[in-house]
Amino acid sequence: MVQSQLFSNGIELASFVTSSNLLQKSWNLIKSRNVDIASNVGVGLSWKLYKEPNIDVTIIAFEANPSDSFILQSELVSFAKLKENNSLNFEFLSTKNISLNKTVVSLFCENPQMFDQLKTKVISSTKLIITGLALGGSIASLFTLLLLESIDSKKKKPICITFGSPLIGDTCLQQALSQNCTWNSCFLHIVSCNDPLPRKFIKDHTSSYVPFGTFLMFYDSYSTCFENHESVLAILETLIHDQNQVFDSIEYENIVESLYRKTICKDITNQIQDMSYSDSLHACINLQLLALGLTPHMQQQQDMDITLVKKMEDLEKKFIFQKKDKFDPSRKLNLMKKDMVDLELYKKVSKVRNLGYYDSYKKMDFECDQDIVKNHKSLTFYWKEMVEKSLMKPQKEEASLRTRWLYGGTTYRRMVEPLDISQYYLKGGKDYVTKARSSHYKQLEDWLVEEATTNSTTNGSQNVTRDDVESILTLDSCFWAHVEEALISCKQLRDVKSSVIEKEDATRKLIEFENYVYGLLVEYAVSPEIFLSGSSYMQWWNEYKEIKGTLYSSKFTCFMSNAHNYNVQYVEGSYNFE
């Protein structure tokens, strides 16, 4: 079997970008002093706005005070903290634990009114380019994020083009953007290998700063693109040896004009046409590094920087395979449906044993109990990843995703969390809800409550009716944890070593549990399988009944004292709770 070849299209992508006039349009506005261009000045920065005549293209260029670029500090700070003292509604940065460069985000937060006015001015633009040089490019990136959060998902997205800008955020920012390819593709960063500012915060393998978007990097009159943030970091780390070199930003103007006129790919390939390479990816990487002046011209392969070439190959391979294996909830959902079907069958088999699937899984007495472990693990891995990826997405994308998958997530939680609970208490655990409950279950439940509140519906995607009570899943996925805690309380009451205070506490908890169960019964929100003779719930009831004695009476005990009530009338949906 012939193994397919891997490629890196950085040279071709750079050629495509530079052959357009986007870079020229952006740079022309950055350096323009045209009085006919709309502009505004804020605290420490300003912006210019230009609308192309005859075509619906709007370009915004940000400019920061030149001195700010020189006092730029490396400190990262949580955007949420800085946002507390300004009026910018920026949920994406505030809810993802994202840290940004303090200087950049402070400038941004000191001008809320200016950004709100500019946002209103351009939000309806069909085609929008946002640009800036150095620190102005960093501000352009944040303003683009602000717009992306507000623009309808069906509308065209703005393009952000920065020139020689420093990195602005940490891993959380990169990961959040990488979860949405559309957002990430809106950013194009132009970087000269001679410019020290883009690599200002890069320390050899120790930087907290992580790039995002696409980087077009150039040296002399050659360029190449990198979409992989790890490859960008590797290149920047290679260049940090000369941080104090003199650089004039006019080089960007010269290179924009030069690249627009030049066919990059042909020039470089002519220089290395006599070299031999082991595979296509190896050739692509050498071509890209040659474009950046990181491998000597016209030398044999063995004389080149093998370490850098190998590192870049490994990073690009990893990036390519990550894109192939990227988590696709739609594609994997069908596999998860099969696991859910297996659980449904297991549920039916367990019912025949008069145990219910919770207690069957807890006891693990049969081969089918062991078989279902694989389904349990597979479903849990899928939904943990689903929740994690959803939380990393921008706010609107996250809301859209969780709405589409809310029913599946709720069914999963109600079906699978009891299995987690059974194993936890089997190992002697206590207080599952506060000590051991997985955060992804909590998040799925929070989303359900939020959805119910937003749509003014009941707290549940499962419409409970009395027509088919037998098929319902218990709405509270932690029901069995409460049963186990009630069993622990019964044991504590019977234990002669328990103190008076401990017994009073146990009694209080049992009364609370009784009221909790009765509330679920009234709403027909609990599955009839809890009444199976071998279930932990019925074990609790028998112990509780003995503890309370015949003189104790409540609506709950009246219901439970007659098996016909729960085995027949409740199942039929005909029991009249008063």
Side-chain angles (χ1 to χ4, degrees):
M1 181 177 176
V2 180
Q3 186 176 4
S4 60
Q5 291 287 306
L6 300 178
F7 296 87
S8 176
N9 65 344
I11 294 290
E12 291 77 11
L13 183 57
S15 181
F16 172 75
V17 172
T18 54
S19 66
S20 72
N21 60 358
L22 289 178
L23 303 188
Q24 287 178 307
K25 288 179 180 293
S26 301
W27 185 259
N28 288 343
L29 183 59
I30 288 173
K31 289 303 179 183
S32 174
R33 295 293 181 264
N34 191 331
V35 294
D36 294 330
I37 295 173
S39 62
N40 196 358
V41 178
V43 180
L45 58 89
S46 61
W47 57 262
K48 294 176 284 189
L49 185 148
Y50 176 67
K51 289 189 176 182
E52 287 271 358
N54 304 322
I55 56 174
D56 187 18
V57 175
T58 302
I59 308 175
I60 304 169
F62 288 97
E63 182 177 356
N65 290 341
S67 60
D68 289 328
S69 295
F70 296 102
I71 62 171
L72 194 59
Q73 301 299 309
S74 62
E75 182 182 355
L76 283 164
V77 64
S78 168
F79 183 86
K81 287 185 178 180
L82 289 180
K83 179 180 177 292
E84 292 173 0
N85 298 321
N86 73 79
S87 58
L88 279 172
N89 183 21
F90 211 149
E91 291 302 319
F92 171 65
L93 291 181
S94 303
T95 59
K96 307 295 178 187
N97 297 318
I98 290 171
S99 292
L100 301 173
N101 177 267
K102 186 175 182 179
T103 305
V104 174
V105 78
S106 294
L107 267 177
F108 195 81
C109 290
E110 286 171 5
N111 295 275
Q113 187 175 2
M114 187 185 83
F115 285 114
D116 279 340
Q117 291 174 350
L118 185 57
K119 177 181 171 183
T120 303
K121 189 185 263 311
V122 302
I123 194 70
S124 60
S125 300
T126 304
K127 300 172 184 176
L128 180 62
I129 300 173
I130 305 165
T131 189
L133 170 67
L135 193 53
S138 302
I139 298 298
S141 293
L142 289 187
F143 184 67
T144 303
L145 286 173
L146 183 66
L147 287 181
L148 286 170
E149 188 174 68
S150 307
I151 292 175
D152 187 276
S153 59
K154 296 179 181 178
K155 289 187 64 176
K156 287 186 177 179
K157 303 295 186 290
I159 297 175
C160 177
I161 302 175
T162 72
F163 294 86
S165 297
L167 303 184
I168 63 170
D170 63 355
T171 302
C172 290
L173 176 62
Q174 184 276 324
Q175 288 179 344
L177 287 170
S178 69
Q179 297 305 316
N180 188 302
C181 296
T182 304
W183 281 38
N184 200 48
S185 65
C186 293
F187 297 89
L188 176 63
H189 307 288
I190 315 301
V191 173
S192 167
C193 288
N194 296 323
D195 188 353
L197 188 57
R199 55 184 190 267
K200 182 177 177 65
F201 305 132
I202 301 299
K203 299 177 182 178
D204 195 13
H205 307 297
T206 61
S207 176
S208 298
Y209 285 83
V210 180
F212 61 89
T214 300
F215 276 69
L216 189 152
M217 309 180 84
F218 65 86
Y219 174 78
D220 194 7
S221 57
Y222 301 108
S223 67
T224 186
C225 282
F226 294 98
E227 297 176 274
N228 180 7
H229 71 280
E230 291 184 303
S231 296
V232 174
L233 275 178
I235 296 297
L236 293 176
E237 287 173 358
T238 303
L239 300 171
I240 62 173
H241 63 279
D242 196 7
Q243 287 278 46
N244 297 318
Q245 67 191 93
V246 178
F247 178 80
D248 191 336
S249 62
I250 195 68
E251 183 175 331
Y252 285 105
E253 181 174 347
N254 297 334
I255 202 66
V256 163
E257 292 297 327
S258 175
L259 292 178
Y260 182 64
R261 295 190 300 264
K262 195 162 187 170
T263 307
I264 309 300
C265 189
K266 290 182 180 179
D267 286 351
I268 297 179
T269 50
N270 286 337
Q271 295 180 39
I272 61 171
Q273 60 185 356
D274 295 329
M275 297 182 181
S276 59
Y277 294 102
S278 57
D279 58 53
S280 54
L281 181 61
H282 186 69
C284 291
I285 296 301
N286 274 275
L287 189 62
Q288 288 183 276
L289 294 179
L290 183 58
L292 300 180
L294 295 176
T295 52
H297 283 11
M298 302 299 291
Q299 289 190 13
Q300 294 302 313
Q301 182 179 347
Q302 58 265 30
D303 296 327
M304 294 183 177
D305 188 346
I306 303 300
T307 302
L308 180 59
V309 173
K310 180 65 169 60
K311 180 178 181 179
M312 293 296 293
E313 275 191 77
D314 291 342
L315 290 174
E316 287 299 301
K317 282 181 182 178
K318 176 183 174 183
F319 182 65
I320 291 168
F321 288 125
Q322 280 179 341
K323 287 200 294 186
K324 287 183 178 180
D325 297 335
K326 189 173 182 180
F327 180 67
D328 183 351
S330 301
R331 182 168 53 87
K332 290 186 177 182
L333 186 61
N334 286 334
L335 296 175
M336 297 305 104
K337 286 179 178 178
K338 179 183 179 301
D339 286 324
M340 289 300 289
V341 169
D342 289 343
L343 267 181
E344 287 285 357
L345 292 173
Y346 178 68
K347 195 167 179 282
K348 292 179 179 179
V349 170
S350 300
K351 186 177 179 181
V352 174
R353 303 181 204 161
N354 278 321
L355 279 175
Y357 80 105
Y358 171 81
D359 287 284
S360 291
Y361 197 75
K362 186 177 179 181
K363 294 178 183 296
M364 289 283 176
D365 288 337
F366 297 88
E367 185 177 345
C368 64
D369 299 323
Q370 300 290 338
D371 293 340
I372 212 67
V373 172
K374 183 179 179 181
N375 303 92
H376 178 195
K377 290 181 178 179
S378 177
L379 286 163
T380 300
F381 179 82
Y382 171 81
W383 282 103
K384 276 187 174 181
E385 190 171 16
M386 166 70 86
V387 171
E388 179 185 344
K389 300 297 184 185
S390 180
L391 286 171
M392 289 302 300
K393 285 182 177 293
Q395 196 79 1
K396 282 191 174 182
E397 301 293 331
E398 174 193 317
S400 174
L401 179 68
R402 69 179 187 237
T403 297
R404 294 198 304 271
W405 304 102
L406 188 60
Y407 177 81
T410 300
T411 303
Y412 152 77
R413 176 173 58 83
R414 291 171 177 167
M415 179 78 84
V416 176
E417 187 168 13
L419 304 183
D420 285 2
I421 293 169
S422 70
Q423 296 306 294
Y424 178 74
Y425 283 97
L426 180 65
K427 296 173 183 177
K430 293 182 180 180
D431 199 7
Y432 165 85
V433 174
T434 59
K435 292 182 179 180
R437 194 181 191 203
S438 173
S439 60
H440 81 290
Y441 289 131
K442 297 176 187 176
Q443 190 62 66
L444 286 169
E445 188 169 21
D446 288 344
W447 283 338
L448 181 65
V449 173
E450 184 179 327
E451 181 74 12
T453 302
T454 302
N455 298 322
S456 300
T457 60
T458 57
N459 182 12
S461 61
Q462 174 181 290
N463 295 319
V464 179
T465 68
R466 298 191 178 195
D467 297 332
D468 192 18
V469 176
E470 194 167 10
S471 66
I472 70 171
L473 289 171
T474 301
L475 266 59
D476 184 359
S477 56
C478 289
F479 173 82
W480 290 104
H482 298 305
V483 172
E484 296 286 359
E485 292 298 320
L487 282 167
I488 292 172
S489 294
C490 287
K491 182 179 179 181
Q492 197 169 28
L493 274 178
R494 294 194 309 270
D495 190 348
V496 294
K497 296 181 180 179
S498 297
S499 67
V500 174
I501 295 177
E502 287 174 334
K503 289 188 176 183
E504 288 178 350
D505 185 57
T507 301
R508 176 186 57 79
K509 289 179 179 178
L510 286 170
I511 295 297
E512 289 176 355
F513 179 68
E514 175 187 328
N515 293 332
Y516 158 77
V517 176
Y518 189 72
L520 293 177
L521 291 170
V522 169
E523 297 294 329
Y524 279 85
V526 65
S527 170
E529 75 169 17
I530 71 168
F531 304 120
L532 292 171
S533 59
S535 75
S536 294
Y537 171 80
M538 291 305 291
Q539 177 190 343
W540 166 80
W541 164 242
N542 290 326
E543 292 183 17
Y544 184 62
K545 178 172 57 175
E546 183 179 337
I547 290 171
K548 300 303 285 185
T550 57
L551 296 178
Y552 177 78
S553 179
S554 66
K555 291 181 179 180
F556 172 75
T557 56
C558 287
F559 172 80
M560 289 299 303
S561 295
N562 188 340
H564 183 77
N565 293 340
Y566 51 80
N567 282 333
V568 179
Q569 289 186 287
Y570 183 83
V571 175
E572 293 175 348
S574 61
Y575 187 84
N576 184 26
F577 291 96
E578 296 180 358

